Amino acid sequence: MKHAGLPFWLAVGALLVVVLGAAFAERLAPFGPGEQDITQRLQPPALRGHVLGTDELGRDILSRLLYGGRVSLLVGLIAVGLSCPVGMLVGVTAGYAGRRVDDVLMRVTEVQLAIPTILLAIAVIGVLGPGLSNVILTLTVTGWTLYARLIRGETLAVKERDYVVAARAAGAGDLRIMGRHVIPNVLSPVIVVAVFAVANMIILEATLSFLGLGVEPQVVTWGRMLNAGRLYLATAWWLMTFPGLAIFVTVLSVNLIGDHLRDWLDPRLRRSLL
Amino acid sequence: MPTRRAVLKGAAAAATVGALAPGVTRAQARKPVLTIALPSTPETIDPHQFRSVLSGSIINLMGEGLLTRDPNTMELKPLLAESWRNVSPTMWEFKLRRGVKFHNGEEFSAECVKFSIDRIVKSKLNTLGKLTWPPAFGQETQIVDPHTVRFTTKVPDPMVPARLAAESMTMSPARGLAEYGERFVTDRFIGTGPYRFVEHVVGDRVVVEANAGYWGAKPPTPRIVWQVIPDAATRVAALQRGDVDVILNLPLPLVPAVETSPNARVYSELSSLVSVVLLNTKESPALRDRRVRQALNMAVDRPAIIKNLFGGRARLLNGAAGPAVSNGFDPGPYPYDPVKAKQLLAEAGHPNGLELTFWQSLGRWTQAEEIAQVLAGYWEKIGVRTKLQVLEWAEYIKRAGGSLFKDAFYYSFINATWDASYILQRFKPSFASFRYYDASGDLLKTIEEYDQAFDPKRRRELGMKAQQGVREEAVWVFLWQLDELMGVSKKVKGFKMRADNFIWARDTYVEA
Amino acid sequence: MAFGVSLAVFALVHLSGDPVLLMVPTDAPPEVVAETRRALGFDRPLPEQFARWIARAVQGDLGVSLRNHRPVAGLIAERMPATVELTVAALVIAVLVAVPAGIVSAVNRGTWIDSLTMVGAVAGQALPVFWLALLLIAFFGVHLRWLPVYGHGTLAHLVLPAVSLSTIVLGRLARLVRSSMLEVLGQDYVRTARAKGLAEPRVLAIHALRNAAIPVVTVLGLQFAQLLGGAVVTETIFAWPGVGRLVVEAIFNRDFPIVQGVVLVVSLIFVVVNLLVDVAYVVIDPRIRVARA
């Protein structure tokens, strides 16, 4: 890997900590994430007991950070995991299937791209109501267009390559060609985009929380913690700082890793719209 | 020794200066603009269409009704009406003030009263007044002479003066707004108030300025700007910087920021909003049993919540209407007794607890989420497995009013007529919305009698009985009345929030 | 395309809930509700409602707000300039910061300057905008008292909101500039120019920048839409009287006409911006005939 310097390895390390923390939350968390005790609310971080302090309902912040990380990461991963195939499908079909299909699919994509993501998210949640599954659905619906455009461009390029032309000449079916030849070659840029998308989803979830359109109250995410702590910035800084740091470190790490991933996978990809 | 003439001359001169000076020195000592920061948009400046206490407060500066309430005592006071009397159970007579002119120069007269009341009650428009004085009363306004009106109703209505004191019953000019009998007014406001309309930038601000031709005491501040700043932290920052003079809706966590600010202080009054959890006794078999409802009441340690969550800035609410309103009464709290609560649940047939869905709306009430989680926590402890659901306000109010919430939901009621009946009427089967509990038998009879009673003593008796009955029935989970918190610059004088949450800005000014 | 957008939003917004119940007092009897619905035309079938709306929109009549009964077109006209001002300012700030950062990074590729600059640029995107805005308000507004924290009017009012908003695109832009520059710097004609002995800055300026500018300009167009969306949060925090806040409140209030009107206008703007981007392509290098990919 080119110049995989200190920042890159720090990022990998940080992400590893986050992921492990989220995965083993049950074992690592000293308290339950929903254990409330209003007589213990807003306690500052202490060496023993609540290491990162307690929130407005007396719940342990460290525990909520761990469990919250799980949900925040999962939301991002699932949303990307759903939107990516959808977008790829649309993109490959558009690129491969010919002018008319291409036009129609691209129109739809452009229509959605013309609407700012947040507005679309608000509108969708407005219809469905807030809640974890609806948030994931919303993020999926707003996210697929990213891949569609990208893949379509790449498909168009790959379509004229030798091996594809040869396969077609040999009589291979369209689906087969798409599956065996096109998709593997467009996978690299998709992976890069997907990685960055996960990071963006985490931020988007926090923004939806800010607007009151996030997950249910009993589900803990970093976005929810960040928002709940907003009013306590001056009086109980730990409520906002730790989830904020968690988001910051995670997103930063993911972005840095994504950068290197892109450099590594194919320098040509820089041309892609990221 | 000055001559008599000199003394008189001096006295005359002093008197002249004295007449001029208060205006001159006062103007020098006061800021010309008072800026009040609000969390959200007044939705309209139509005199009869507004929906929120806030909008009403702003409109209250520009438009006036026949009666008003004293900002300190909540007593009914004459405003555009000078006096009134009850002619018969179905007829009231009002004598109107003379020499009052609208902002457009039109003379206030009985014709305007009829125009206004007809617009409020009889038009197709959705006026808040239809809630305050439901058209079911069959109101008719009779012009006896230019300064006397009579209101007749189909059923006896002892509450007419209280209704007319509500801010939704503003008087509008019959000629000036003649084309708006069935249309909304969006671009102007014509009233009789101490302030006149300057501009309404939707979503951003409303500006009013002093009315030179006002019939009453001249308002102390030439201009008031009601500025929308949606984010609470930004509101507080603006107050700290001195960019605004007053901020409304100060969330409790931000109180220290204002308290420690050298140029501002916290102003709090008990809110009239009664905060409760409504229980759907129609859809939930479990909640139909009074014992279950009582258990839900006893499971919650309200004093602890008030102490820890609200920093003591709240008062227990034990009855439906709260003790401050006319005929309001405190029937005594349900004790915090989780053991007894569990017992009651077992007696009612739920020894292993039960499932409950609990709805809350975010963004409408301060600390809404914390409240919901705390309540859920207490109910969980007696075996009521609570599922929390949130909705944003638009959908929430639709479901709440449309009686669509299953199980339980949080709500805070205002009291527009400042009488226990405003709340108690909700339990009558004939009430149009929020149909979650129907009073029956003795309780229903008491409420109906109360509605028609004219004698104050009788009203108080019946009111007490009704509220006691509602409490026994544990119709709701009675929670609290919170303090309404505001931030006020130390240089602001005369700013008040009335007991019914209306902002009284008429007498407010800022020292320069 | 604007038609398609409008249709999509119309459907979505109408599915999202019944605005009539929001407009009547909560205790209103059913006859009042029905009457209101009839008066507003909501009892007609959806396609008919949409057709009427389009017909009027084409003539410039975007309907009337359900909540405050003002003409939507007027409301949008009142608020749009503020949002455009904010978005453009944010874009300008982003460009002013990201372009030099990207160039510096590319030129010093592999060094700690490169790493630091990139991390710095990306860091801005790793924070939700509202958090950054809050910190900026607390520090520059209250603590230092340098800048006002709400409202609109002077340049000073623009600073904090525009800076907050710019962070949404800053990182991506800087990265893009860097990678464009890297690609260009490695190209043959640049090496040729260097071999010819042209001074380095000249090489950079004339050849590298111009070619690097193309993807950047493309992205600017796309980011404009994202910025318009991000403006929603910024406008809320800074009480900025723009269209973002207007439309968010409208969605919460089920004020359909406003939502439809704003989306229509925004998508029209988007179309215009894309056209400008296409024009900019040609201007930057007439040799490039890029089929719109």
Side-chain angles (χ1 to χ4, degrees):
Chain A
M1 271 182 237
K2 299 185 200 141
H3 64 96
L6 192 57
F8 174 74
W9 291 113
L10 278 179
V12 171
L15 198 59
L16 212 61
V17 167
V18 167
V19 170
L20 287 176
F24 295 105
E26 279 91 356
R27 249 172 268 166
L28 294 168
F31 298 85
E35 244 179 81
Q36 45 175 288
D37 179 4
I38 52 176
T39 59
Q40 287 297 307
R41 70 195 294 257
L42 302 176
Q43 297 296 310
L47 281 176
R48 275 180 307 158
H50 300 283
V51 178
L52 295 182
T54 60
D55 69 357
E56 71 280 5
L57 286 179
R59 297 175 293 201
D60 180 51
I61 296 218
L62 176 59
S63 309
R64 284 174 71 75
L65 212 59
L66 291 168
Y67 282 96
R70 176 184 296 181
V71 183
S72 293
L73 287 174
L74 274 180
V75 165
L77 286 171
I78 295 179
V80 167
L82 290 176
S83 56
C84 185
V86 170
M88 276 187 64
L89 197 62
V90 172
V92 167
T93 314
Y96 196 79
R99 201 65 216 264
R100 257 191 300 178
V101 174
D102 182 16
D103 273 351
V104 167
L105 287 176
M106 279 304 108
R107 281 293 145 259
V108 171
T109 315
E110 272 168 24
V111 161
Q112 185 168 324
L113 275 175
I115 308 176
T117 313
I118 303 217
L119 285 191
L120 193 58
I122 297 173
V124 172
I125 294 226
V127 177
L128 301 172
L132 185 57
S133 39
N134 291 338
V135 168
I136 294 181
L137 192 62
T138 306
L139 293 179
T140 308
V141 165
T142 55
W144 67 268
T145 49
L146 204 57
Y147 311 99
R149 276 182 82 124
L150 176 63
I151 298 306
R152 173 197 176 264
E154 295 294 321
T155 307
L156 281 175
V158 164
K159 194 162 96 167
E160 305 306 322
R161 294 262 173 79
D162 296 337
Y163 48 88
V164 175
V165 174
R168 235 184 297 154
D174 283 336
L175 275 176
R176 188 142 186 255
I177 295 179
M178 287 208 282
R180 280 194 86 200
H181 296 285
V182 177
I183 289 186
N185 285 290
V186 303
L187 215 48
S188 322
V190 167
I191 291 178
V192 175
V193 170
V195 166
F196 285 115
V198 172
N200 283 340
M201 296 277 154
I202 296 181
I203 301 258
L204 196 52
E205 188 265 317
T207 308
L208 285 176
S209 256
F210 170 77
L211 293 170
L213 301 170
V215 299
E216 303 93 322
Q218 284 158 321
V219 175
V220 49
T221 65
W222 288 339
R224 162 158 293 258
M225 290 175 73
L226 196 63
N227 269 292
R230 246 187 336 130
L231 293 177
Y232 296 95
L233 186 62
T235 49
W237 54 268
W238 52 95
L239 261 71
M240 249 197 133
T241 308
F242 295 120
L245 268 179
I247 294 180
F248 182 69
V249 165
T250 308
V251 171
L252 195 58
S253 305
V254 170
N255 276 324
L256 283 177
I257 293 176
D259 258 336
H260 281 86
L261 206 61
R262 176 183 49 199
D263 285 348
W264 181 55
L265 278 178
D266 192 342
R268 203 171 50 91
L269 295 177
R270 286 189 222 112
R271 210 182 300 128
S272 315
L273 298 171
L274 278 169
Chain B
M1 172 76 166
T3 64
R4 191 160 172 265
R5 209 159 186 222
V7 169
L8 279 174
K9 214 166 159 202
T16 326
V17 172
L20 288 174
V24 170
T25 51
R26 227 173 276 142
Q28 281 175 338
R30 295 182 185 179
K31 269 172 73 175
V33 182
L34 166 70
T35 310
I36 303 180
L38 338 159
S40 63
T41 319
E43 60 276 329
T44 179
I45 49 154
D46 183 291
H48 305 128
Q49 299 302 308
F50 62 88
R51 287 278 167 273
S52 62
V53 173
L54 198 49
S55 306
S57 305
I58 299 173
I59 284 170
N60 188 33
L61 288 173
M62 302 185 284
E64 302 176 304
L66 290 179
L67 276 73
T68 186
R69 288 190 181 271
D70 183 277
N72 293 303
T73 64
M74 287 303 285
E75 257 182 82
L76 285 175
K77 285 266 152 72
L79 197 58
L80 290 184
E82 272 181 347
S83 65
W84 58 92
R85 68 189 181 100
N86 179 228
V87 176
S88 76
T90 56
M91 186 187 299
W92 288 80
E93 183 180 274
F94 285 77
K95 292 262 187 239
L96 307 177
R97 192 177 296 273
R98 294 155 196 271
V100 176
K101 283 200 163 39
F102 283 94
H103 297 155
N104 65 345
E106 190 175 324
E107 183 89 20
F108 170 65
S109 68
E111 195 192 341
C112 302
V113 176
K114 181 165 172 64
F115 172 76
S116 304
I117 299 294
D118 281 352
R119 185 173 195 260
I120 294 170
V121 173
K122 289 194 172 168
S123 74
K124 288 198 301 250
L125 298 172
N126 272 311
T127 63
L128 192 57
K130 284 199 174 110
L131 211 61
T132 316
W133 202 4
F137 280 93
Q139 304 90 321
E140 285 298 336
T141 316
Q142 189 194 357
I143 302 176
V144 175
D145 65 56
H147 297 281
T148 313
V149 282
R150 287 214 180 122
F151 298 110
T152 52
T153 53
K154 283 208 210 91
V155 289
D157 188 3
M159 296 272 301
V160 172
R163 301 188 200 275
L164 290 171
E167 269 67 18
S168 52
M169 311 298 265
T170 311
M171 290 294 125
S172 291
R175 251 159 275 149
L177 289 184
E179 324 105 62
Y180 291 95
E182 299 280 346
R183 274 171 52 204
F184 293 111
V185 192
T186 61
D187 54 355
R188 76 193 78 158
F189 193 98
I190 310 177
T192 60
Y195 284 90
R196 39 183 344 143
F197 175 69
V198 173
E199 67 169 352
H200 174 211
V201 179
V202 172
D204 192 49
R205 64 181 178 277
V206 178
V207 181
V208 299
E209 70 183 6
N211 174 17
Y214 183 56
W215 59 268
K218 190 160 180 286
T221 299
R223 185 174 256 245
I224 303 184
V225 174
W226 300 81
Q227 173 71 48
V228 174
I229 304 181
D231 190 80
T234 312
R235 267 200 308 282
V236 171
L239 182 68
Q240 287 172 308
R241 282 173 49 92
D243 292 337
V244 301
D245 306 303
V246 175
I247 60 174
L248 305 180
N249 285 66
L250 174 63
L252 188 62
L254 290 174
V255 160
V258 178
E259 276 173 342
T260 56
S261 164
N263 55 325
R265 61 181 177 90
V266 175
Y267 168 49
S268 83
E269 297 271 10
L270 187 68
S271 166
S272 64
L273 290 169
V274 295
S275 299
V276 297
V277 175
L278 281 93
L279 302 169
N280 194 334
T281 63
K282 299 190 159 194
E283 299 270 330
S284 299
L287 292 174
R288 259 179 237 144
D289 190 323
R290 177 168 74 165
R291 288 169 293 195
V292 173
R293 302 198 297 265
Q294 288 175 335
L296 290 175
N297 267 282
M298 290 196 231
V300 181
D301 187 357
R302 292 178 298 155
I305 298 180
I306 290 181
K307 173 158 172 268
N308 291 301
L309 217 56
F310 305 132
R313 292 178 187 269
R315 186 160 73 177
L316 282 178
L317 174 77
N318 302 316
V325 300
S326 302
N327 306 311
F329 157 71
D330 183 343
Y334 274 102
Y336 171 54
D337 195 340
V339 171
K340 180 94 194 285
K342 270 185 123 155
Q343 232 173 15
L344 282 171
L345 278 184
E347 277 172 36
H350 304 278
N352 298 316
L354 51 99
E355 260 80 40
L356 186 81
T357 308
F358 179 41
W359 296 83
Q360 174 61 295
S361 182
L362 295 187
R364 172 76 175 179
W365 298 297
T366 173
Q367 294 177 282
E369 208 182 305
E370 292 170 46
I371 292 172
Q373 308 233 42
V374 166
L375 291 176
Y378 278 114
W379 289 333
E380 295 269 344
K381 290 210 186 103
I382 63 160
V384 175
R385 294 170 285 281
T386 314
K387 177 159 179 255
L388 272 183
Q389 299 270 67
V390 286
L391 273 185
E392 33 90 13
W393 179 246
E395 188 64 21
Y396 194 84
I397 182 63
K398 166 183 157 186
R399 291 201 203 177
S403 316
L404 297 170
F405 275 134
K406 194 162 181 299
D407 287 359
F409 67 100
Y410 183 89
Y411 204 80
S412 293
F413 290 103
I414 59 159
N415 194 316
T417 53
W418 205 244
D419 188 286
S421 66
Y422 192 78
I423 303 284
L424 289 171
Q425 61 178 337
R426 294 168 189 285
F427 305 121
K428 285 165 45 176
S430 54
F431 197 70
S433 63
F434 281 87
R435 304 239 39 76
Y436 297 99
Y437 172 84
D438 282 342
S440 59
D442 207 29
L443 182 57
L444 181 59
K445 255 196 282 182
T446 312
I447 296 177
E448 282 172 340
E449 254 193 83
Y450 171 58
D451 263 353
Q452 313 248 318
F454 275 77
D455 174 42
K457 194 152 154 271
R458 186 99 185 97
R459 284 182 72 79
R460 199 177 328 275
E461 264 171 34
L462 290 167
M464 268 177 65
K465 188 153 172 248
Q467 286 169 79
Q468 185 71 44
V470 167
R471 184 256 189 214
E472 305 280 293
E473 283 290 304
V475 170
W476 296 333
V477 177
F478 302 105
L479 293 174
W480 42 68
Q481 286 178 276
L482 298 176
D483 277 358
E484 187 72 32
L485 301 168
M486 295 156 273
V488 176
S489 152
K490 287 190 176 142
K491 296 218 177 88
V492 167
K493 308 276 177 242
F495 179 79
K496 180 137 180 75
M497 186 191 95
R498 213 167 60 179
D500 60 348
N501 290 55
F502 271 95
I503 306 294
W504 193 264
R506 279 187 184 221
D507 306 322
T508 315
Y509 63 92
V510 189
E511 284 170 349
Chain C
M1 203 217 21
F3 178 84
V5 172
S6 316
L7 183 62
V9 173
F10 183 90
L12 200 63
V13 151
H14 274 264
L15 285 172
S16 72
D18 187 355
V20 182
L21 282 165
L22 275 180
M23 296 160 50
V24 304
T26 62
D27 305 19
E31 315 89 63
V32 174
V33 176
E35 183 56 51
T36 314
R37 196 188 304 278
R38 219 171 303 139
L40 292 168
F42 284 146
D43 53 338
R44 306 270 174 76
L46 273 185
E48 188 185 328
Q49 289 188 44
F50 184 62
R52 286 161 122 232
W53 181 76
I54 284 279
R56 286 198 207 121
V58 174
Q59 296 172 41
D61 172 13
L62 289 170
V64 152
S65 158
L66 294 180
R67 198 147 178 261
N68 54 56
H69 315 288
R70 292 259 188 103
V72 172
L75 286 173
I76 296 181
E78 224 175 37
R79 310 273 289 240
M80 194 50 117
T83 299
V84 171
E85 186 187 330
L86 181 61
T87 312
V88 168
L91 215 52
V92 164
I93 293 179
V95 167
L96 285 177
V97 172
V99 169
I103 294 177
V104 162
S105 253
V107 166
N108 293 294
R109 184 218 187 128
T111 66
W112 63 270
I113 298 180
D114 182 13
S115 307
L116 199 64
T117 319
M118 277 302 106
V119 170
V122 169
Q125 256 171 304
L127 281 176
V129 171
F130 64 86
W131 196 26
L132 184 65
L134 237 75
L135 293 174
L136 288 177
I137 289 179
F139 191 63
F140 290 101
V142 180
H143 188 67
L144 289 177
R145 289 193 182 232
W146 283 357
L147 295 163
V149 298
Y150 80 92
H152 173 243
T154 68
L155 204 62
H157 285 103
L158 189 54
V159 173
L160 288 182
V163 166
S164 304
L165 189 57
S166 68
T167 59
I168 292 184
V169 295
L170 211 140
R172 204 170 300 166
L173 210 56
R175 266 203 304 243
L176 193 64
V177 169
R178 174 180 176 278
S179 39
S180 284
M181 281 297 293
L182 281 178
E183 194 178 319
V184 158
L185 283 175
Q187 298 280 14
D188 289 339
Y189 57 85
V190 173
R191 280 195 228 130
T192 316
R194 280 210 190 106
K196 278 201 204 147
L198 284 177
E200 187 72 10
R202 226 175 144 216
V203 169
L204 277 178
I206 295 183
H207 296 280
L209 262 186
R210 217 211 244 145
N211 288 286
I214 294 157
V216 174
V217 167
T218 319
V219 170
L220 279 186
L222 272 179
Q223 300 295 42
F224 192 74
Q226 297 299 6
L227 275 180
L228 280 181
V232 160
V233 170
T234 315
E235 286 183 12
T236 303
I237 296 204
F238 290 100
W240 190 262
V243 133
R245 235 176 80 200
L246 180 71
V247 79
V248 165
E249 284 166 12
I251 292 179
F252 281 131
N253 290 320
R254 305 272 185 270
D255 203 337
F256 300 156
I258 292 186
V259 178
Q260 283 157 217
V262 168
V263 171
L264 181 64
V265 172
V266 164
S267 55
L268 283 176
I269 291 183
F270 187 67
V271 168
V272 166
V273 167
N274 276 339
L275 279 174
L276 288 175
V277 165
D278 282 345
V279 166
Y281 268 178
V282 176
V283 163
I284 290 178
D285 191 343
R287 288 179 309 172
I288 297 178
R289 298 273 172 256
V290 181
R292 279 229 45 204

